[in-house]
Amino acid sequence: MSNPVKLSVIYYSSTGVGTEIANTLVAEAEAAGAEVRLRRVPELAPDAAIDSNPAWRANVEATRSVPEATPDDVVWADAVIFGSPTRFGNIASQLKQFIDTLGGQWAQGQLADKIYSGFTSSSTAHGGQESTLLALYNTFHHFGGIVVAPGFTDGAKFADGNPYGTSHVDAQGANKVDDVTRAAAAVQARRVVAIARALKNGQAS
Ligand SMILES: Cc1cc2nc3c(=O)[nH]c(=O)nc-3n(C[C@H](O)[C@H](O)[C@H](O)COP(=O)(O)O)c2cc1C
């Protein structure tokens, strides 16, 4: 496809739930015709903390080949999907740290007029997924971004039930990313790419 939508999926994941969702978003967005960059933000936790949880160490090792995000990955993109696990109802400090490196690009207006969306996961069903996504979306307004949430725009969304973004309840590791969450990610990826394409084409004409 000539001049495809450029999408960055920029995420933090400790124990791999977010990694699974990010990979699904990438596959679905590529199937929808986007050129995609998958990026993880730098880990900030010390090795002692990572080694206290085998799932955390396993995810660190499994994602070593995923490039670390840089501000250019946001500037380059027509659309950015950010992801973070819920941390006490908010985004993880690792993702916040990356976002807080974007002041220079913000000051130059390089973050504005893009599509933004988000995904998350938590251990419990009412553990703060929506507050995490809404907290993330506060930032997108400061960017001058255009927030594209999935809403209930597809029947699949009535299964996962989160109109703010793809989310998954991991039940402390007992509930792996499943077809319900993958279907929600597919809806979000297709919607972000379609609206980014419409915006891009409109701006070009
Ligand atoms: C410090 C900390 C805070 C957390 N806070 C919440 C929370 O508020 N609600 C919740 O349901 N789960 C909470 N969790 C669980 C994670 O959000 C959950 O396991 C998530 O799916 C992990 O995603 P990841 O595998 O991508 O790191 C917390 C975990 C940690 C380590």
PDB file of all heavy atoms in Angstrom, residues 148-173:
ATOM      1  N   VAL A 148      -8.619   8.054  20.094  1.00  0.00           N
ATOM      2  CA  VAL A 148      -9.518   7.098  19.434  1.00  0.00           C
ATOM      3  C   VAL A 148      -9.666   5.882  20.349  1.00  0.00           C
ATOM      4  O   VAL A 148      -8.767   5.052  20.464  1.00  0.00           O
ATOM      5  CB  VAL A 148      -8.983   6.689  18.051  1.00  0.00           C
ATOM      6  CG1 VAL A 148      -9.800   5.537  17.475  1.00  0.00           C
ATOM      7  CG2 VAL A 148      -9.029   7.887  17.112  1.00  0.00           C
ATOM      8  N   ALA A 149     -10.792   5.835  21.022  1.00  0.00           N
ATOM      9  CA  ALA A 149     -11.116   4.689  21.879  1.00  0.00           C
ATOM     10  C   ALA A 149     -11.948   3.709  21.064  1.00  0.00           C
ATOM     11  O   ALA A 149     -12.645   4.104  20.132  1.00  0.00           O
ATOM     12  CB  ALA A 149     -11.886   5.163  23.099  1.00  0.00           C
ATOM     13  N   PRO A 150     -11.912   2.429  21.428  1.00  0.00           N
ATOM     14  CA  PRO A 150     -12.709   1.462  20.659  1.00  0.00           C
ATOM     15  C   PRO A 150     -14.206   1.616  20.854  1.00  0.00           C
ATOM     16  O   PRO A 150     -14.990   1.296  19.962  1.00  0.00           O
ATOM     17  CB  PRO A 150     -12.215   0.100  21.159  1.00  0.00           C
ATOM     18  CG  PRO A 150     -11.563   0.366  22.467  1.00  0.00           C
ATOM     19  CD  PRO A 150     -11.031   1.765  22.406  1.00  0.00           C
ATOM     20  N   GLY A 151     -14.609   2.131  22.030  1.00  0.00           N
ATOM     21  CA  GLY A 151     -16.041   2.190  22.310  1.00  0.00           C
ATOM     22  C   GLY A 151     -16.673   0.806  22.206  1.00  0.00           C
ATOM     23  O   GLY A 151     -15.994  -0.218  22.323  1.00  0.00           O
ATOM     24  N   PHE A 152     -17.967   0.801  21.957  1.00  0.00           N
ATOM     25  CA  PHE A 152     -18.674  -0.464  21.677  1.00  0.00           C
ATOM     26  C   PHE A 152     -19.042  -0.481  20.192  1.00  0.00           C
ATOM     27  O   PHE A 152     -20.191  -0.657  19.815  1.00  0.00           O
ATOM     28  CB  PHE A 152     -19.909  -0.593  22.569  1.00  0.00           C
ATOM     29  CG  PHE A 152     -19.575  -0.798  24.020  1.00  0.00           C
ATOM     30  CD1 PHE A 152     -19.657   0.243  24.924  1.00  0.00           C
ATOM     31  CD2 PHE A 152     -19.146  -2.044  24.474  1.00  0.00           C
ATOM     32  CE1 PHE A 152     -19.339   0.056  26.264  1.00  0.00           C
ATOM     33  CE2 PHE A 152     -18.815  -2.242  25.817  1.00  0.00           C
ATOM     34  CZ  PHE A 152     -18.915  -1.188  26.714  1.00  0.00           C
ATOM     35  N   THR A 153     -18.013  -0.254  19.361  1.00  0.00           N
ATOM     36  CA  THR A 153     -18.243  -0.101  17.932  1.00  0.00           C
ATOM     37  C   THR A 153     -18.304  -1.434  17.198  1.00  0.00           C
ATOM     38  O   THR A 153     -18.500  -1.455  15.986  1.00  0.00           O
ATOM     39  CB  THR A 153     -17.126   0.756  17.313  1.00  0.00           C
ATOM     40  OG1 THR A 153     -15.860   0.145  17.625  1.00  0.00           O
ATOM     41  CG2 THR A 153     -17.142   2.179  17.865  1.00  0.00           C
ATOM     42  N   ASP A 154     -18.093  -2.524  17.935  1.00  0.00           N
ATOM     43  CA  ASP A 154     -18.081  -3.854  17.325  1.00  0.00           C
ATOM     44  C   ASP A 154     -18.647  -4.818  18.369  1.00  0.00           C
ATOM     45  O   ASP A 154     -18.419  -4.633  19.576  1.00  0.00           O
ATOM     46  CB  ASP A 154     -16.628  -4.226  16.976  1.00  0.00           C
ATOM     47  CG  ASP A 154     -16.519  -5.544  16.232  1.00  0.00           C
ATOM     48  OD1 ASP A 154     -16.736  -6.602  16.864  1.00  0.00           O
ATOM     49  OD2 ASP A 154     -16.213  -5.515  15.022  1.00  0.00           O
ATOM     50  N   GLY A 155     -19.342  -5.831  17.904  1.00  0.00           N
ATOM     51  CA  GLY A 155     -19.937  -6.795  18.827  1.00  0.00           C
ATOM     52  C   GLY A 155     -18.925  -7.414  19.776  1.00  0.00           C
ATOM     53  O   GLY A 155     -19.252  -7.742  20.927  1.00  0.00           O
ATOM     54  N   ALA A 156     -17.674  -7.567  19.302  1.00  0.00           N
ATOM     55  CA  ALA A 156     -16.642  -8.171  20.155  1.00  0.00           C
ATOM     56  C   ALA A 156     -16.420  -7.371  21.425  1.00  0.00           C
ATOM     57  O   ALA A 156     -15.992  -7.926  22.455  1.00  0.00           O
ATOM     58  CB  ALA A 156     -15.332  -8.292  19.378  1.00  0.00           C
ATOM     59  N   LYS A 157     -16.720  -6.086  21.373  1.00  0.00           N
ATOM     60  CA  LYS A 157     -16.464  -5.243  22.543  1.00  0.00           C
ATOM     61  C   LYS A 157     -17.422  -5.539  23.687  1.00  0.00           C
ATOM     62  O   LYS A 157     -17.140  -5.197  24.837  1.00  0.00           O
ATOM     63  CB  LYS A 157     -16.531  -3.765  22.153  1.00  0.00           C
ATOM     64  CG  LYS A 157     -15.376  -3.287  21.291  1.00  0.00           C
ATOM     65  CD  LYS A 157     -14.022  -3.486  21.951  1.00  0.00           C
ATOM     66  CE  LYS A 157     -13.906  -2.715  23.240  1.00  0.00           C
ATOM     67  NZ  LYS A 157     -12.610  -2.995  23.936  1.00  0.00           N
ATOM     68  N   PHE A 158     -18.549  -6.167  23.384  1.00  0.00           N
ATOM     69  CA  PHE A 158     -19.466  -6.510  24.472  1.00  0.00           C
ATOM     70  C   PHE A 158     -18.951  -7.710  25.258  1.00  0.00           C
ATOM     71  O   PHE A 158     -19.419  -7.975  26.365  1.00  0.00           O
ATOM     72  CB  PHE A 158     -20.872  -6.756  23.925  1.00  0.00           C
ATOM     73  CG  PHE A 158     -21.526  -5.482  23.449  1.00  0.00           C
ATOM     74  CD1 PHE A 158     -21.430  -5.078  22.128  1.00  0.00           C
ATOM     75  CD2 PHE A 158     -22.204  -4.665  24.344  1.00  0.00           C
ATOM     76  CE1 PHE A 158     -21.997  -3.893  21.701  1.00  0.00           C
ATOM     77  CE2 PHE A 158     -22.779  -3.476  23.922  1.00  0.00           C
ATOM     78  CZ  PHE A 158     -22.678  -3.077  22.600  1.00  0.00           C
ATOM     79  N   ALA A 159     -17.974  -8.416  24.709  1.00  0.00           N
ATOM     80  CA  ALA A 159     -17.384  -9.538  25.444  1.00  0.00           C
ATOM     81  C   ALA A 159     -16.326  -9.042  26.423  1.00  0.00           C
ATOM     82  O   ALA A 159     -16.296  -9.461  27.581  1.00  0.00           O
ATOM     83  CB  ALA A 159     -16.789 -10.545  24.471  1.00  0.00           C
ATOM     84  N   ASP A 160     -15.458  -8.142  25.998  1.00  0.00           N
ATOM     85  CA  ASP A 160     -14.418  -7.664  26.934  1.00  0.00           C
ATOM     86  C   ASP A 160     -14.934  -6.502  27.783  1.00  0.00           C
ATOM     87  O   ASP A 160     -14.480  -6.303  28.905  1.00  0.00           O
ATOM     88  CB  ASP A 160     -13.123  -7.302  26.207  1.00  0.00           C
ATOM     89  CG  ASP A 160     -13.105  -5.882  25.674  1.00  0.00           C
ATOM     90  OD1 ASP A 160     -13.943  -5.581  24.798  1.00  0.00           O
ATOM     91  OD2 ASP A 160     -12.281  -5.067  26.132  1.00  0.00           O
ATOM     92  N   GLY A 161     -15.883  -5.733  27.236  1.00  0.00           N
ATOM     93  CA  GLY A 161     -16.618  -4.769  28.058  1.00  0.00           C
ATOM     94  C   GLY A 161     -15.888  -3.512  28.448  1.00  0.00           C
ATOM     95  O   GLY A 161     -16.332  -2.798  29.342  1.00  0.00           O
ATOM     96  N   ASN A 162     -14.778  -3.195  27.775  1.00  0.00           N
ATOM     97  CA  ASN A 162     -14.059  -1.970  28.131  1.00  0.00           C
ATOM     98  C   ASN A 162     -14.021  -1.033  26.919  1.00  0.00           C
ATOM     99  O   ASN A 162     -13.223  -1.241  26.007  1.00  0.00           O
ATOM    100  CB  ASN A 162     -12.641  -2.293  28.604  1.00  0.00           C
ATOM    101  CG  ASN A 162     -11.955  -1.069  29.190  1.00  0.00           C
ATOM    102  OD1 ASN A 162     -12.332   0.059  28.906  1.00  0.00           O
ATOM    103  ND2 ASN A 162     -10.954  -1.303  30.019  1.00  0.00           N
ATOM    104  N   PRO A 163     -14.858   0.006  26.895  1.00  0.00           N
ATOM    105  CA  PRO A 163     -14.892   0.900  25.740  1.00  0.00           C
ATOM    106  C   PRO A 163     -13.678   1.821  25.640  1.00  0.00           C
ATOM    107  O   PRO A 163     -13.453   2.443  24.613  1.00  0.00           O
ATOM    108  CB  PRO A 163     -16.168   1.718  25.981  1.00  0.00           C
ATOM    109  CG  PRO A 163     -16.315   1.747  27.462  1.00  0.00           C
ATOM    110  CD  PRO A 163     -15.814   0.404  27.944  1.00  0.00           C
ATOM    111  N   TYR A 164     -12.868   1.888  26.707  1.00  0.00           N
ATOM    112  CA  TYR A 164     -11.756   2.854  26.728  1.00  0.00           C
ATOM    113  C   TYR A 164     -10.515   2.336  26.004  1.00  0.00           C
ATOM    114  O   TYR A 164      -9.677   3.126  25.561  1.00  0.00           O
ATOM    115  CB  TYR A 164     -11.400   3.205  28.174  1.00  0.00           C
ATOM    116  CG  TYR A 164     -12.557   3.838  28.906  1.00  0.00           C
ATOM    117  CD1 TYR A 164     -13.456   3.066  29.638  1.00  0.00           C
ATOM    118  CD2 TYR A 164     -12.786   5.217  28.833  1.00  0.00           C
ATOM    119  CE1 TYR A 164     -14.534   3.642  30.292  1.00  0.00           C
ATOM    120  CE2 TYR A 164     -13.857   5.790  29.482  1.00  0.00           C
ATOM    121  CZ  TYR A 164     -14.740   5.007  30.208  1.00  0.00           C
ATOM    122  OH  TYR A 164     -15.808   5.576  30.841  1.00  0.00           O
ATOM    123  N   GLY A 165     -10.381   1.026  25.927  1.00  0.00           N
ATOM    124  CA  GLY A 165      -9.211   0.447  25.280  1.00  0.00           C
ATOM    125  C   GLY A 165      -9.162  -1.036  25.573  1.00  0.00           C
ATOM    126  O   GLY A 165      -9.870  -1.533  26.460  1.00  0.00           O
ATOM    127  N   THR A 166      -8.302  -1.734  24.845  1.00  0.00           N
ATOM    128  CA  THR A 166      -8.151  -3.167  25.108  1.00  0.00           C
ATOM    129  C   THR A 166      -7.638  -3.369  26.530  1.00  0.00           C
ATOM    130  O   THR A 166      -6.730  -2.665  26.983  1.00  0.00           O
ATOM    131  CB  THR A 166      -7.146  -3.771  24.112  1.00  0.00           C
ATOM    132  OG1 THR A 166      -7.629  -3.566  22.790  1.00  0.00           O
ATOM    133  CG2 THR A 166      -6.955  -5.259  24.371  1.00  0.00           C
ATOM    134  N   SER A 167      -8.220  -4.334  27.223  1.00  0.00           N
ATOM    135  CA  SER A 167      -7.751  -4.622  28.576  1.00  0.00           C
ATOM    136  C   SER A 167      -7.932  -6.113  28.852  1.00  0.00           C
ATOM    137  O   SER A 167      -8.750  -6.774  28.218  1.00  0.00           O
ATOM    138  CB  SER A 167      -8.513  -3.792  29.610  1.00  0.00           C
ATOM    139  OG  SER A 167      -9.890  -4.070  29.553  1.00  0.00           O
ATOM    140  N   HIS A 168      -7.148  -6.584  29.805  1.00  0.00           N
ATOM    141  CA  HIS A 168      -7.209  -8.009  30.155  1.00  0.00           C
ATOM    142  C   HIS A 168      -7.067  -8.172  31.659  1.00  0.00           C
ATOM    143  O   HIS A 168      -6.246  -7.480  32.284  1.00  0.00           O
ATOM    144  CB  HIS A 168      -6.081  -8.774  29.438  1.00  0.00           C
ATOM    145  CG  HIS A 168      -6.114 -10.241  29.695  1.00  0.00           C
ATOM    146  ND1 HIS A 168      -7.027 -11.075  29.101  1.00  0.00           N
ATOM    147  CD2 HIS A 168      -5.363 -11.024  30.524  1.00  0.00           C
ATOM    148  CE1 HIS A 168      -6.834 -12.311  29.523  1.00  0.00           C
ATOM    149  NE2 HIS A 168      -5.833 -12.308  30.392  1.00  0.00           N
ATOM    150  N   VAL A 169      -7.850  -9.080  32.213  1.00  0.00           N
ATOM    151  CA  VAL A 169      -7.744  -9.416  33.635  1.00  0.00           C
ATOM    152  C   VAL A 169      -6.918 -10.693  33.745  1.00  0.00           C
ATOM    153  O   VAL A 169      -7.339 -11.751  33.265  1.00  0.00           O
ATOM    154  CB  VAL A 169      -9.136  -9.631  34.257  1.00  0.00           C
ATOM    155  CG1 VAL A 169      -9.003 -10.056  35.726  1.00  0.00           C
ATOM    156  CG2 VAL A 169      -9.985  -8.365  34.136  1.00  0.00           C
ATOM    157  N   ASP A 170      -5.732 -10.586  34.370  1.00  0.00           N
ATOM    158  CA  ASP A 170      -4.846 -11.771  34.372  1.00  0.00           C
ATOM    159  C   ASP A 170      -5.038 -12.688  35.568  1.00  0.00           C
ATOM    160  O   ASP A 170      -4.459 -13.793  35.604  1.00  0.00           O
ATOM    161  CB  ASP A 170      -3.374 -11.353  34.223  1.00  0.00           C
ATOM    162  CG  ASP A 170      -2.783 -10.703  35.467  1.00  0.00           C
ATOM    163  OD1 ASP A 170      -3.274 -10.892  36.580  1.00  0.00           O
ATOM    164  OD2 ASP A 170      -1.769  -9.996  35.303  1.00  0.00           O
ATOM    165  N   ALA A 171      -5.858 -12.273  36.543  1.00  0.00           N
ATOM    166  CA  ALA A 171      -6.134 -13.115  37.725  1.00  0.00           C
ATOM    167  C   ALA A 171      -4.835 -13.650  38.332  1.00  0.00           C
ATOM    168  O   ALA A 171      -4.696 -14.852  38.564  1.00  0.00           O
ATOM    169  CB  ALA A 171      -7.099 -14.242  37.370  1.00  0.00           C
ATOM    170  N   GLN A 172      -3.917 -12.741  38.558  1.00  0.00           N
ATOM    171  CA  GLN A 172      -2.602 -13.076  39.152  1.00  0.00           C
ATOM    172  C   GLN A 172      -1.898 -14.196  38.395  1.00  0.00           C
ATOM    173  O   GLN A 172      -1.328 -15.119  38.974  1.00  0.00           O
ATOM    174  CB  GLN A 172      -2.769 -13.423  40.627  1.00  0.00           C
ATOM    175  CG  GLN A 172      -3.160 -12.182  41.433  1.00  0.00           C
ATOM    176  CD  GLN A 172      -3.640 -12.499  42.823  1.00  0.00           C
ATOM    177  OE1 GLN A 172      -4.430 -13.414  43.027  1.00  0.00           O
ATOM    178  NE2 GLN A 172      -3.170 -11.716  43.782  1.00  0.00           N
ATOM    179  N   GLY A 173      -1.964 -14.072  37.075  1.00  0.00           N
ATOM    180  CA  GLY A 173      -1.244 -15.018  36.219  1.00  0.00           C
ATOM    181  C   GLY A 173      -2.043 -16.240  35.818  1.00  0.00           C
ATOM    182  O   GLY A 173      -1.606 -17.012  34.963  1.00  0.00           O
TER     183      GLY A 173
END
